[in-house]
């Protein structure tokens, strides 16, 4: 295919003929013209723009699934660019050191520096060798591209082939010329060629200076070595002359012999060749280091795309037209994918993309499901899938999902035209001593009397004393309202309101967990706005600022001390009302770890899991932004690191402190990004059975995130990393698996009941009330809960019921995953009733399991042998990998086995392993 050549192969002419014919029939249609060369190159349009009979009907189509994709696939399967870079850098250091070592050794053993002619011959020789290789590659490229893309073949490969061939020949000539010069000098490298001068000197028939300078002039060796002849440089004159004579005659015994004349023997030449080879390798290493740095950068992709087709988007040129990117995609959400998305967004490129294998990053081209589907001929049942996937990628592209934090390349889109609001209390005090600091701030605000809203337990155990003491010390009076209970109710709010008026308090200080804070928020807002707290249900219903509220936190979970949420149970309706109002954000949020030390294990665990739920739900929320993402991820890190210690050793101030920071960070995340279906559903369980909020969340978190992961698996990469699995790389399936396992493990480790099952002996009494028959009603209410609106995918009612059911039925899987699979395998192998085969199967199983254990890291995947990667894929339920696993296990694992394998064994082992793994 050519462009603008006006012959039968002219794609431009063909496109114009076809386009004009279509436009003659319907001038309103857009004509899509594919780029050349696998649809990747539009460069010729610069010179020969397409001309249609109707203006503004041209759209270019481009693809990219070769250059970057192949490079990315290679880097995914063999070495990542980071690894290439690391290795090339090491190679560069070693090679450079060897170069220097060679030069130093050469100098130390007193060998002469090579003559220019020798060097020139060497450089030209090596240069001609490499230009010959590159010329060969160019001609091969020309031959190959001539079959598919004659434009590039003729315009790039052929000229380069010719230029390189000419260079190669010129270098050969240069080398030969330099070699001849060298030979000529070599033959004159002794005194014999200047007999007259030597003779003059030897017979003393010459004055000193003249003889010496003559000798220097005519004898390059003497010139080169005179400085090394002892005494020569020091004492010109007679002594020098005698040395010169000695040099010429070769006899003067009391002086050390002058250095050997540099004879260019084979050894020296070989050494030089080795040095040149090392120098060439060093150059190649430099190129590799630079390229591996560039290879997966956005800059490089932009440069290539702009050069090849992106230029067509620039306004005002005869060739300017929109570009529609048709085929692009990748098996993993790697740098290629992110860079392409960024490019599409940055250059406003249109796109269409419809992978049908369920993996968003992959396209049919390289996937096992194969094949493309076109809009005009979708196969039955595929329309909705196409629509869904295209919507998904549109969202991805617009940055609607929360990829900003781990996708380095693009930003979240602002919802609407008013930007994103980030909600925070105006002042927050954290760390040891924060309570004392807060009281000083209240004093500075001029407040006189506090209504302390707390619960009876905290008063009874004396915890509230920590607050009353510092208030008294600061001269601030107070009244205590301790009628608040876990999951505060409308009537408790009303009682508190009555008291604040009776006691004439001028501010509210909540002391406790989420319940006192919510109760205090409700009291403080109704105190100034009047009316019933029920009227505040919904978003931003207040009209007046609330009373000053200082929220002193004694649990580390809800974030209620700093959020704009207030959850009050309406006893009549058995519903937890969500009051979302920026005016209920506490004036001062106080997190002093010392006030948290008294929390019992179960409360620490439940509140900690609540905080984890906030972080995860905020992270996958559809309205998250880079600020909330950053808070959420760091909260996850802190919780996964410190919650177990805080539970096991409640007096550990560091763990308490870190958990306080974590819950605060999680609060910062969900206060602006909101939550999801875990909370939407947990609120119903809390409202109906008065179950602890954190426990409900912890039990629902796994099933709901498993559901979410089907829609936003990529978001689980950073979640898995934050929860401690830094090695998941870019494998989103693995990340989902690891994240879900981490949630489950943490929940089990801190002693949260495993499920909502009523017979569960370790469960709280209230669980006995939970009935499967209630699930439809609970699901109905959950679907009305505002928290669910930002869930990454909206479930149907049946799906919500199924999620409650899943939380009810959760498996007791204390058994380690690998151990469980091993058990399955051994059972399968045992069924074979063949001791030898069993042994082999177990050995094979060990390989698979070991590889599974080791290969959780993408880096490790690259480093390990490829078949192990594939056998890991087997366990990851990937049909493509399974096929390859069998293939590779056949040829590699079985061959490597310490047990003797015969081909007859394969089907048996395959069957055993297959049935054990469910294939
Ligand atoms: N407003 C929000 O943003 C928000 C967010 C999540 C949850 N919530 C609400 O928060 C409430 C749950 O709050 P919570 O989990 O913090 O518990 P909580 O406030 O309901 O307290 C639970 C129990 O723990 C005790 N307790 C609290 N601190 C203690 C300490 N330091 N030492 C010993 N005992 C202590 C309390 O006396 C109480 O008996 C629920 O009503 C939930 O709906 C609100
Ligand atoms: Fe919560």
């Amino acid at each position: 295919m050519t462009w603008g050549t006006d012959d039968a192969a002219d794609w431009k002419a063909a496109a114009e003929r076809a386009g004009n014919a279509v436009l003659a029939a319907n001038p309103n249609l857009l004509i899509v013209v594919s780029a050349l060369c696998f649809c990747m190159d539009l460069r010729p349009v610069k010179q020969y723009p397409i001309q249609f009979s109707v203006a503004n009907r041209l759209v270019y189509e481009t693809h990219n699934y070769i250059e970057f994709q192949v490079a990315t696939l290679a880097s995914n399967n063999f070495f990542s660019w980071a690894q290439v870079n690391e290795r090339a850098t090491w190679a560069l250091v070693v090679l450079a050191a060897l170069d220097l070592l060679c030069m130093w050794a050469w100098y130390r053993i007193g060998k002469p520096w090579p003559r220019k002619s020798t060097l020139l011959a060497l450089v030209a020789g090596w240069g001609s060798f490499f230009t010959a290789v590159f010329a060969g590659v160019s001609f091969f490229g020309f031959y190959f591209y001539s079959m598919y893309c004659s434009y590039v073949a003729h315009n790039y490969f052929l000229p380069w082939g010719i230029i390189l061939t000419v260079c190669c020949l010129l270098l050969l000539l240069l080398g030969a010329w330099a070699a001849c010069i060298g030979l000529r000098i070599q033959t004159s490298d002794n005194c014999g060629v200047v007999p007259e001068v030597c003779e003059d000197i030897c017979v003393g028939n010459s004055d000193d200076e003249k003889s010496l300078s003559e000798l220097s002039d005519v004898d390059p060796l003497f010139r080169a070595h005179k400085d090394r002849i002892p005494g020569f440089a020091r004492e010109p004159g007679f002594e020098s002359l005698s040395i010169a004579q000695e040099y010429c005659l070769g006899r003067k015994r009391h002086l050390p012999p002058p250095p050997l004349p540099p004879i260019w023997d084979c050894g020296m030449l070989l050494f030089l060749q080795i040095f040149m080879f090392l120098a060439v390798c060093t150059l190649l290493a430099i190129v590799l280091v630079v390229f591996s740095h560039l290879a997966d950068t956005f800059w490089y992709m932009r440069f290539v795309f702009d050069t090849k087709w992106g230029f067509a988007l620039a306004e005002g040129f005869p060739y300017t037209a929109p570009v529609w990117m048709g085929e692009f995609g990748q098996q993993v959400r790697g740098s290629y994918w992110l860079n392409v998305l960024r490019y599409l967004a940055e250059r406003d490129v249109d796109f269409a993309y419809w992978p049908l294998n369920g993996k968003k990053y992959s396209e049919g081209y390289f996937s096992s499901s194969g094949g493309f589907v076109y809009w005009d001929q979708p196969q039955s049942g595929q329309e909705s899938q196409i629509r869904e996937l295209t919507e998904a990628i549109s969202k991805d592209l617009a940055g609607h999902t929360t990829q900003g934090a781990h996708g380095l390349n693009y930003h979240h889109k602002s919802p609407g035209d008013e930007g994103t609001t980030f909600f925070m209390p105006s002042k927050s005090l954290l760390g040891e001593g924060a309570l004392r600091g807060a009281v000083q701030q209240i004093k500075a605000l001029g407040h006189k009397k506090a209504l302390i809203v707390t619960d009876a337990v905290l008063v009874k155990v004396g915890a509230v004393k920590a607050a009353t003491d510092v208030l008294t010390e600061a001269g601030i009076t107070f009244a205590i309202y301790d009628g608040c209970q876990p999951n505060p109710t409308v009537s408790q709010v009303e009682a508190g309101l009555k008291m604040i008026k009776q006691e004439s308090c001028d501010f509210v200080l909540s002391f406790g967990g989420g319940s006192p804070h919510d109760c205090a928020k409700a009291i403080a807002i109704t105190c100034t706005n009047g009316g019933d707290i029920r009227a505040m249900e919904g978003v931003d219903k207040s009209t007046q600022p609330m009373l000053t509220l200082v929220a002193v936190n004694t649990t580390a979970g809800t974030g209620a001390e700093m959020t704009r949420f207030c959850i009050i149970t309406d006893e009549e309706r058995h519903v937890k009302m969500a009051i979302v109002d920026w005016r209920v954000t506490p004036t001062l949020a106080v997190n002093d770890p010392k006030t948290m030390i008294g929390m019992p294990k179960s409360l620490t665990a439940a509140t900690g899991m609540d905080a984890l739920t906030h972080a995860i739900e905020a992270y996958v929320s559809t309205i998250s932004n880079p600020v909330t993402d950053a808070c959420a991820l760091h909260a996850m890190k802190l919780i996964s690191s410190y919650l177990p210690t805080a539970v096991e050793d409640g007096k550990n101030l560091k763990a308490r402190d870190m958990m306080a920071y974590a819950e605060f960070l999680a609060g910062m995340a969900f206060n602006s990004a909101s939550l999801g279906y875990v909370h939407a559903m947990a609120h119903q369980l809390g409202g109906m059975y008065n179950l602890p909020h954190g426990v409900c969340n912890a039990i629902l978190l796994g099933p709901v995130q498993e559901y979410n992961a089907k829609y936003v698996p990529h978001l689980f990469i950073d979640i898995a990393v934050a929860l401690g699995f830094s090695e998941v790389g870019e494998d989103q399936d693995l990340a989902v698996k690891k994240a879900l396992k981490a949630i489950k493990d943490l929940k089990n480790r801190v002693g949260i009941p495993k499920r909502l099952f009523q017979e569960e002996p370790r469960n709280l009494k209230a669980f006995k009330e939970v009935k499967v028959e209630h699930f439809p009603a609970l699901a109905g209410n959950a679907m009305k809960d505002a928290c669910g609106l930002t869930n990454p995918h909206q479930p149907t009612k049946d799906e919500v019921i199924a999620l409650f059911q899943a939380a009810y039925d959760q498996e007791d899987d204390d058994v380690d995953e690998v151990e469980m699979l091993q058990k399955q395998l051994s059972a399968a192998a045992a069924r074979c009733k063949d001791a030898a085969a069993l042994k082999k199967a177990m050995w094979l199983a060990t390989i698979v399991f070991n590889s599974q254990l080791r290969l959780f890291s993408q880096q490790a995947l690259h480093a390990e042998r490829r078949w192990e990667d594939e056998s890991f894929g087997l366990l990851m339920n990937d049909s493509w990998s399974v096929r390859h696993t069998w293939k590779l296990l056949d040829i590699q694992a079985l061959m490597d086995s310490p047990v003797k394998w015969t081909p007859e064994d394969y089907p048996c082992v395959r069957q055993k392993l297959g049935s054990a793994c469910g294939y």
Side-chain angles (χ1 to χ4, degrees):
M1 209 78 81
T2 59
W3 191 276
T5 47
D6 243 347
D7 53 18
D10 184 356
W11 179 234
K12 169 187 175 308
E16 281 176 351
R17 271 198 310 277
N20 286 334
V22 172
L23 290 171
N26 184 347
N28 296 322
L29 291 179
L30 289 176
I31 309 296
V32 180
V33 178
S34 297
L36 287 178
C37 303
F38 306 98
C39 219
M40 296 195 308
D41 208 328
L42 272 179
R43 280 175 286 188
V45 305
K46 274 190 176 173
Q47 202 179 349
Y48 303 106
I50 290 212
Q51 311 280 344
F52 283 140
S53 51
V54 183
N56 300 327
R57 293 295 179 271
L58 170 65
V59 176
Y60 298 115
E61 182 190 355
T62 61
H63 296 175
N64 191 286
Y65 49 81
I66 298 211
E67 39 194 8
F68 288 100
Q69 265 223 1
V70 170
T72 316
L73 279 178
S75 73
N76 284 338
N77 287 306
F78 302 106
F79 296 107
S80 67
W81 286 116
Q83 285 173 322
V84 172
N85 188 268
E86 191 188 317
R87 285 160 206 208
T89 307
W90 276 114
L92 179 61
V93 170
V94 172
L95 286 165
L98 283 176
D99 290 340
L100 290 174
L101 188 71
C102 282
M103 286 158 79
W104 178 79
W106 192 257
Y107 173 76
R108 273 303 294 248
I109 59 176
K111 294 287 179 189
W113 297 119
R115 286 185 207 89
K116 284 183 191 128
S117 57
T118 315
L119 271 181
L120 194 61
L122 269 176
V123 171
W126 279 95
S128 63
F129 171 73
F130 277 102
T131 42
V133 170
F134 289 128
V137 171
S138 299
F139 284 121
F140 176 76
F142 171 70
Y143 159 76
F144 179 78
Y145 270 73
S146 294
M147 291 188 280
Y148 306 101
C149 179
S150 64
Y151 165 74
V152 167
H154 282 93
N155 286 282
Y156 294 92
F157 283 103
L158 186 59
W160 272 112
I162 294 171
I163 291 171
L164 287 167
T165 310
V166 171
C167 289
C168 172
L169 292 174
L170 287 177
L171 283 169
L172 270 180
L173 281 177
L174 183 70
W177 174 75
C180 289
I181 300 269
L183 273 179
R184 198 159 60 79
I185 293 174
Q186 181 75 29
T187 52
S188 69
D189 273 356
N190 56 62
C191 211
V193 297
V194 282
E196 317 83 50
V197 180
C198 273
E199 216 151 282
D200 282 355
I201 295 169
C202 293
V203 296
N205 196 12
S206 168
D207 68 61
D208 302 356
E209 295 302 328
K210 186 163 167 285
S211 309
L212 288 171
S213 76
E214 267 177 346
L215 192 57
S216 278
D217 283 349
V218 295
D219 185 346
L221 280 187
F222 181 77
R223 187 167 61 242
H225 289 277
K226 64 181 185 192
D227 293 343
R228 286 203 251 154
I229 299 171
F232 184 89
R234 276 200 318 272
E235 288 181 57
F238 178 77
E239 180 66 11
S240 302
L241 183 65
S242 73
I243 291 165
Q245 288 172 335
E246 181 71 12
Y247 178 78
C248 281
L249 298 174
R251 60 178 165 78
K252 178 155 183 181
R253 283 169 199 82
H254 66 276
L255 281 175
L260 283 174
I263 302 295
W264 279 93
D265 58 16
C266 291
M268 283 159 84
L269 279 173
L270 185 67
F271 185 88
L272 256 190
Q273 294 292 347
I274 292 172
F275 177 77
M276 284 305 292
F277 177 74
L278 285 176
V280 170
C281 290
T282 312
L283 266 180
L284 289 177
I286 291 173
V287 171
L288 206 56
V289 168
V290 173
F291 186 72
S292 55
H293 253 303
L294 285 180
D296 58 5
T297 60
F298 176 65
W299 180 89
Y300 179 65
M301 179 181 278
R302 184 171 55 190
F303 169 76
V304 174
F305 281 6
D306 278 354
T307 311
K308 289 193 164 178
W309 50 266
F311 65 86
L313 290 157
E315 294 290 340
F317 294 95
Y319 51 78
T320 302
V323 176
W324 167 62
M325 206 168 181
E327 295 174 11
F328 58 99
Q330 180 54 270
Q331 303 276 2
V332 291
R333 183 178 179 277
S335 51
Y336 165 79
W337 175 255
L338 294 171
N339 287 339
V340 170
L341 289 192
R342 183 173 166 192
Y343 188 84
L344 297 183
E346 210 172 286
R347 293 280 189 267
D348 193 18
V349 179
D350 298 292
F351 69 93
Y353 180 87
W354 42 79
L356 291 181
N357 57 1
K359 285 187 178 179
K360 204 160 83 175
Y361 308 114
S362 155
E363 64 172 13
Y365 194 79
F366 279 118
S367 75
S368 52
S369 49
F372 297 104
V373 172
Y374 297 93
W375 284 110
D376 57 352
Q377 45 180 291
Q379 290 152 27
S380 71
Q382 287 176 334
E383 294 93 330
S384 62
Q385 205 177 352
I386 291 169
R387 202 173 314 113
E388 198 178 299
L389 287 162
T390 308
E391 273 166 19
I393 193 173
S394 307
K395 272 190 178 181
D396 227 4
L397 199 59
H400 253 305
T401 53
T402 44
Q403 295 175 66
H406 56 243
L408 303 172
N409 298 323
Y410 54 102
H411 304 287
H412 296 259
K413 196 181 164 198
S414 332
D417 345 319
E418 294 177 7
T420 305
T421 311
F422 185 68
F423 298 94
M424 277 283 285
S426 49
K427 274 191 187 178
S428 302
L429 291 96
L430 291 119
E432 226 180 308
L435 178 55
R436 183 171 298 276
V439 171
Q440 292 312 315
Q441 309 251 3
I442 301 165
K443 207 174 163 188
L445 286 173
H447 290 300
K448 300 276 182 290
K449 185 168 184 183
L451 176 74
I452 300 180
V453 177
T454 184
D455 60 47
V457 177
L458 289 171
V459 175
K460 199 169 151 203
V461 298
V464 181
K465 205 166 167 295
T468 51
D469 282 355
V470 280
L471 283 173
T472 311
E473 213 176 280
I476 297 170
T477 54
F478 53 83
I480 298 179
Y481 170 63
D482 65 358
C484 170
Q485 285 171 9
N487 298 326
T489 59
V490 172
S491 53
Q492 289 165 21
V493 173
E494 282 165 357
L497 199 57
K498 206 166 149 199
M499 190 164 176
I500 202 169
K501 286 177 183 158
Q502 276 171 1
E503 295 284 339
S504 309
C505 299
D506 60 354
F507 78 103
V508 183
L509 186 146
S510 58
F511 188 91
S515 302
H517 301 319
D518 282 354
C519 190
K521 286 174 183 178
I523 294 169
I525 195 86
T526 36
C527 186
T528 51
N529 282 262
D532 191 323
I533 186 64
R534 291 184 195 88
M536 297 283 177
E537 188 176 0
V539 181
D540 291 342
K541 292 285 168 64
S542 68
T543 52
Q544 299 298 319
M546 68 172 180
L547 273 191
T548 297
L549 169 59
V550 181
V552 181
N553 210 12
T554 64
T555 64
T558 65
E561 82 288 0
M562 54 84 64
T563 63
R564 64 191 166 115
F565 298 95
C566 169
I567 314 289
I568 303 293
T569 303
D570 182 350
E571 312 94 309
E572 286 167 21
R573 289 185 290 153
H574 285 292
V575 168
K576 273 191 148 188
M577 297 184 299
I579 296 155
V580 185
D581 194 323
W582 67 275
R583 290 196 181 89
V584 301
T585 308
T587 324
L588 285 181
V590 185
N591 275 294
D592 190 331
K594 284 207 158 157
T595 62
M596 297 169 186
I597 288 239
M599 268 197 284
K601 281 186 194 313
S602 57
L603 184 65
T604 309
T607 49
M609 289 304 288
D610 185 22
L612 180 68
T613 310
H614 296 156
I616 293 178
E617 293 214 283
Y619 189 70
V620 300
S621 154
T622 51
I623 57 162
S624 73
N625 64 51
V627 180
T628 60
D629 283 351
C631 297
L633 288 175
H634 199 60
M636 289 179 221
K637 268 190 205 166
L638 289 176
I639 295 165
S640 67
S641 308
Y642 288 100
L643 181 58
T645 315
V647 172
E648 281 149 28
D649 173 16
K651 300 267 176 294
N652 186 320
L653 207 60
K654 169 97 192 270
R656 291 289 190 197
D657 197 25
M658 288 299 118
M659 278 306 297
Y661 274 103
E663 76 89 43
F664 189 83
L665 280 164
M668 282 168 75
F670 87 87
N671 201 22
S672 299
S674 193
L675 295 162
Y677 255 86
V678 181
H679 271 79
M681 292 166 67
H683 288 158
Q684 313 321 315
L685 293 174
M688 184 97 154
Y689 310 111
N690 205 20
L691 283 167
H693 174 73
V695 172
C696 298
N697 278 334
I699 293 175
L700 289 163
L701 186 58
V704 175
Q705 295 319 313
E706 196 171 348
Y707 172 84
N708 288 341
K710 283 189 268 176
Y711 301 94
V712 286
H714 45 287
L715 299 184
F716 283 75
I717 290 176
D718 277 0
I719 296 180
V721 172
L723 294 178
F725 294 95
S726 53
E727 68 277 20
V728 294
E730 287 167 346
D731 185 339
Q732 45 184 282
D733 296 339
L734 178 60
V736 168
K737 198 169 165 235
K738 290 279 112 188
L740 294 177
K741 179 148 173 29
I743 292 170
K744 202 174 255 186
D745 286 350
L746 189 60
K747 181 189 89 175
N748 292 347
R749 183 161 172 197
V750 299
I752 300 274
K754 288 194 170 54
R755 49 189 166 167
L756 287 177
F757 186 43
Q758 53 183 343
E759 299 303 332
E760 176 67 56
R762 283 165 61 196
N763 279 0
L764 304 170
K765 260 197 216 145
F767 277 140
K768 298 209 183 302
E769 309 295 317
V770 180
K771 298 275 184 313
V772 173
E773 307 85 84
H774 298 163
F775 290 168
L778 291 172
N781 285 338
M783 293 184 76
K784 289 183 212 141
D785 192 296
C787 289
L789 293 175
T790 44
N791 202 61
H793 191 266
Q794 289 303 312
T796 60
K797 188 171 176 190
D798 283 346
E799 283 176 330
V800 181
I801 296 172
L803 287 172
F804 274 120
Q805 190 69 47
Y808 187 79
D809 293 336
Q810 276 181 83
E811 285 281 313
D812 186 351
D813 59 351
D814 270 350
V815 191
D816 180 73
E817 198 180 344
V818 173
E819 207 180 298
M820 201 172 72
L821 281 163
Q822 259 165 347
K823 278 185 187 157
Q824 281 179 5
L825 254 180
S826 60
R831 281 200 297 277
C832 209
K833 294 197 178 69
D834 169 352
L838 177 109
K839 196 171 153 203
K840 289 166 190 171
M842 289 312 295
W843 185 83
L844 191 51
T846 314
I847 303 174
V848 176
F849 293 128
N850 283 346
S851 64
Q852 186 205 21
L853 286 176
R854 270 182 286 136
L855 297 179
F856 283 154
S857 133
Q858 185 80 5
Q859 298 296 325
L861 281 180
H862 295 137
E864 296 292 335
R865 284 177 302 170
R866 190 171 159 70
W867 72 268
E868 290 183 321
D869 178 359
E870 304 303 348
S871 52
F872 174 66
L874 165 90
L875 297 172
M876 294 307 293
N877 227 343
D878 181 307
S879 61
W880 183 82
S881 296
V882 171
R883 280 209 311 277
H884 286 257
T885 305
W886 293 135
K887 214 171 84 203
L888 290 158
L889 283 177
D890 282 349
I891 56 172
Q892 289 226 13
L894 303 185
M895 268 173 20
D896 290 353
S897 161
V899 192
K900 277 265 168 277
W901 293 93
T902 62
E904 298 81 63
D905 289 330
Y906 302 169
C908 179
V909 173
R910 192 179 306 177
Q911 180 218 329
K912 277 186 297 231
L913 192 57
S915 61
C917 296
Y919 294 107

